Amino acid sequence: MRKAKIGLEVHIQLTKLKTKLFCSCPSDYRDKPPNTVVCPVCLGLPGALPKLNEEAVKMALTLCLSLNGKVSRKVVFARKHYFYPDLPKGYQITQFTSLGSSPVCQGGQLVMRVDGREKVVRIRRLQLEEDPGRIVWPRGKASEYVLVDYNRSGIALIELVTEPDMETPEEARAFVEKLRSLVEHLGICDCELEGAMRVDANVSVEGGERVEIKNIGSIKDVEKALKFEITRQSTLLDQGGRVERETRHWDAERRVTVGARSKELEEEYRYMPEPNIPPYLIEEGLLEQAKRELPELPDQRIKRMIKEYSLSEYLASVLVIRDKRLADLFEEAAKLYTNYKRLASLLVVDYLRWVEELGLPLGKCVKPEWLAELLSYVDRGKITLEQARETVLPSMLRECKEPSRVIEEKGLGVVRDVDKILSIVRKVLRENPKAVEDAKKNPKAINFLVGQVMKALRGKADPRTVRQMIESELGMSARHGSDG
Ligand SMILES: [Zn+2]
């Protein structure tokens, strides 16, 4: 595959705002009947005047500061014209870097780790703009007409544009993950909400033109869409073809990018200053206050967690970057359970795996006290770690039940009656003379016997104890590290 250059445009809805960007309609438009969270301003009715939501500016300010960007002291808006049914005014109120208008933030950088390396991605700019409405195809792409829902129209959006500093789809994914963690720690966006974070990617490979991929709706799809596109462009060039400058759409279902209308040139948008919103001045005092009030950011939190809980950098980073709620869950549970390493790896290794496998949203049916309870059963020898990870945890998540109930209902628990285990060990040894001979020659062959005993005990014993018993019955000395 050829070397690639990737730049991203990320749209982040300020979901934590109470109202839209230029009117007093509530921001919470999801699951509302179509066209009920609207007013003359966000419907673009003639004569309706927009009024800037100052809280939105403050939120954009905190993101700018945490990216080490340069805050514009005069926030000016511009009109970007295009004709599409989701945009009732015929223009979108946004920001622009000319005509005396400037975006709320310029420059800055985001530092992330990819495969253990540090990677710096420069930020070009960050601007405030309004979200358009939503087009609904009542019968999929075959629809003869479309419906328009203006509930989303006027929702405050931050558009963040990076320099083309990323070289692989993995780096692009890591960028979006880190950015998501950042805005969640700043408390400006709950990115889990559908459509709250949307990505457009610009990608070119050596010897080809730049292609823009629009409409990428999830972090995982950022990586998939870019992989597809880099392969497509490389193959085209390798076969002697050309990569044209164009806009493509990501089709998440078919997992391909498809060609779309040719890209508008900047001048076709006929940018002009927005005359209905006076410039908003950011005073020194406001800027200082925003700096003072910045909450703990992901990098600081990772450092603190490494120190406070003696976690590895890997565990702390996954907890914080993968999803803020994961780190919150860990820290709440850590108040109740102090084997922090075991707790962190239960979350990072097992919990994330089950969430993925069961297709559950993160945070569903899991409580800090349940995690603490689950692991203390393991510590007290009531159940094995294996049972906790493979049986209790998934049932807990699937059925929303506390660990004690799962253990009771499934009849789990460790058989601690040594005589009972020993009698089963002896029975298995009697019934498997060939395996016993093998085991005497090759210690690895003991695994089979351990498995037979565990099966007879329905998994309710500690495999290490079983192994030691078998070894002692066979007259072998207990081996260190044989439980691996
Ligand atoms: Zn409104």
Side-chain angles (χ1 to χ4, degrees):
M1 232 183 314
R2 297 185 180 219
K3 250 184 109 171
K5 244 181 164 180
I6 302 164
L8 299 175
E9 272 177 37
V10 188
H11 290 94
I12 304 156
Q13 283 187 341
L14 300 177
T15 63
K16 300 285 169 129
L17 282 176
K18 288 199 177 66
T19 55
K20 293 184 179 181
L21 187 53
F22 299 118
C23 63
S24 56
C25 292
S27 270
D28 177 18
Y29 69 90
R30 291 179 172 80
D31 305 321
K32 300 282 188 318
N35 298 309
T36 55
V37 191
V38 289
C39 73
V41 174
C42 52
L43 281 175
L45 300 186
L49 287 175
K51 186 172 178 297
L52 177 62
N53 182 341
E54 293 181 23
E55 289 305 312
V57 179
K58 288 181 191 163
M59 285 185 177
L61 208 71
T62 60
L63 181 55
C64 184
L65 290 172
S66 59
L67 291 166
N68 280 315
K70 187 170 171 290
V71 174
S72 162
R73 303 300 290 270
K74 191 171 149 193
V75 180
V76 181
F77 288 89
R79 292 182 178 181
K80 174 185 179 178
H81 295 83
Y82 65 91
F83 185 74
Y84 209 61
D86 61 3
L87 197 69
K89 296 193 292 293
Y91 59 84
Q92 179 190 29
I93 304 179
T94 176
Q95 299 189 304
F96 189 56
T97 325
S98 137
L99 304 167
S101 161
S102 68
V104 66
C105 177
Q106 283 174 294
Q109 59 180 43
L110 186 74
V111 184
M112 66 217 192
R113 289 191 85 81
V114 192
D115 296 332
R117 283 177 305 109
E118 201 163 80
K119 170 84 190 176
V120 179
V121 175
R122 290 168 301 154
I123 310 296
R124 185 177 295 168
R125 63 166 197 273
L126 193 156
Q127 65 195 35
L128 268 171
E129 60 187 34
E130 54 179 345
D131 215 349
R134 219 165 51 86
I135 306 262
V136 181
W137 280 268
R139 294 200 288 127
K141 296 283 171 187
S143 307
E144 285 159 8
Y145 60 91
V146 296
L147 301 169
V148 191
D149 177 6
Y150 290 110
N151 286 350
R152 195 178 74 180
S153 173
I155 291 289
L157 270 189
I158 284 180
E159 182 185 276
L160 180 145
V161 183
T162 75
E163 297 293 344
D165 287 347
M166 287 152 278
E167 286 158 4
T168 62
E170 292 77 18
E171 285 181 0
R173 178 186 172 149
F175 177 88
V176 181
E177 272 182 352
K178 183 75 184 274
L179 180 64
R180 174 187 154 138
S181 173
L182 184 59
V183 296
E184 288 188 336
H185 279 84
L186 288 169
I188 62 179
C189 175
D190 179 358
C191 301
E192 190 64 15
L193 295 171
E194 196 258 321
M197 195 171 195
R198 313 191 294 266
V199 181
D200 296 344
N202 284 300
V203 54
S204 60
V205 298
E206 263 177 336
E209 285 285 335
R210 194 180 77 197
V211 171
E212 184 178 14
I213 317 169
K214 284 198 171 280
N215 197 29
I216 311 176
S218 80
I219 293 182
K220 269 187 230 155
D221 280 1
V222 170
E223 194 176 346
K224 282 186 209 151
L226 282 166
K227 269 190 183 148
F228 175 86
E229 191 54 26
I230 293 170
T231 310
R232 186 190 70 87
Q233 293 181 20
S234 302
T235 313
L236 205 59
L237 291 167
D238 291 346
Q239 291 169 347
R242 284 178 48 181
V243 175
E244 302 287 346
R245 184 161 178 166
E246 64 168 334
T247 299
R248 300 176 71 84
H249 281 266
W250 170 242
D251 184 333
E253 255 167 57
R254 290 163 54 215
R255 297 188 175 190
V256 294
T257 64
V258 283
R261 65 193 148 90
S262 59
K263 184 162 167 51
E264 297 91 343
L265 299 170
E266 292 275 271
E267 49 269 33
E268 286 173 5
Y269 287 131
R270 291 176 293 125
Y271 280 100
M272 60 173 272
E274 166 58 57
N276 290 331
I277 302 170
Y280 180 82
L281 300 178
I282 295 179
E283 311 282 350
E284 189 64 36
L286 181 65
L287 197 58
E288 286 308 315
Q289 189 192 359
K291 275 183 196 160
R292 273 199 311 274
E293 289 173 3
L294 272 187
E296 184 183 47
L297 301 177
D299 288 340
Q300 297 162 336
R301 191 174 191 187
I302 291 170
K303 278 200 191 113
R304 177 177 59 76
M305 285 174 66
I306 291 173
K307 218 173 134 202
E308 197 172 327
Y309 306 106
S310 308
L311 296 181
S312 66
E313 186 175 351
Y314 171 76
L315 285 177
S317 304
V318 176
L319 287 172
V320 174
I321 305 293
R322 168 66 203 257
D323 198 306
K324 176 177 176 287
R325 283 167 305 166
L326 206 58
D328 294 346
L329 203 53
F330 171 85
E331 296 214 77
E332 281 303 309
K335 290 177 187 160
L336 308 165
Y337 180 80
T338 53
N339 187 341
Y340 304 132
K341 238 174 245 175
R342 180 167 273 184
L343 176 61
S345 72
L346 182 80
L347 280 167
V348 168
V349 180
D350 304 300
Y351 176 65
L352 285 180
R353 172 170 57 99
W354 284 117
V355 163
E356 181 94 352
E357 241 169 73
L358 301 172
L360 295 171
L362 209 113
K364 190 167 182 271
C365 293
V366 61
K367 293 180 186 165
E369 55 271 28
W370 289 4
L371 294 170
E373 186 191 332
L374 176 63
L375 289 178
S376 44
Y377 284 139
V378 175
D379 291 349
R380 283 186 268 135
K382 190 169 164 60
I383 53 171
T384 64
L385 184 57
E386 185 77 1
Q387 287 175 330
R389 298 165 62 185
E390 302 303 324
T391 313
V392 186
L393 184 63
S395 302
M396 184 179 116
L397 297 174
R398 221 179 353 231
E399 296 153 31
C400 259
K401 280 181 187 159
E402 53 199 281
S404 58
R405 272 187 65 193
V406 177
I407 291 169
E408 198 189 305
E409 286 175 11
K410 293 202 179 281
L412 293 173
V414 178
V415 175
R416 274 190 280 182
D417 182 343
V418 179
D419 291 337
K420 183 175 174 193
I421 302 176
L422 193 59
S423 75
I424 289 176
V425 165
R426 287 181 177 151
K427 183 164 173 274
V428 167
L429 295 183
R430 266 199 314 277
E431 287 169 0
N432 294 281
K434 172 136 192 340
V436 168
E437 283 313 305
D438 289 349
K440 280 180 180 162
K441 278 178 243 147
N442 175 11
K444 275 199 178 158
I446 286 188
N447 289 342
F448 171 78
L449 294 166
V450 174
Q452 293 301 306
V453 176
M454 291 299 288
K455 205 169 137 193
L457 287 163
R458 290 193 297 142
K460 288 189 198 175
D462 179 2
R464 276 173 302 183
T465 313
V466 171
R467 174 177 284 268
Q468 280 163 8
M469 281 185 182
I470 295 175
E471 283 172 345
S472 123
E473 283 298 299
L474 296 181
M476 301 159 79
S477 58
R479 277 156 212 279
H480 289 289
S482 55
D483 56 326

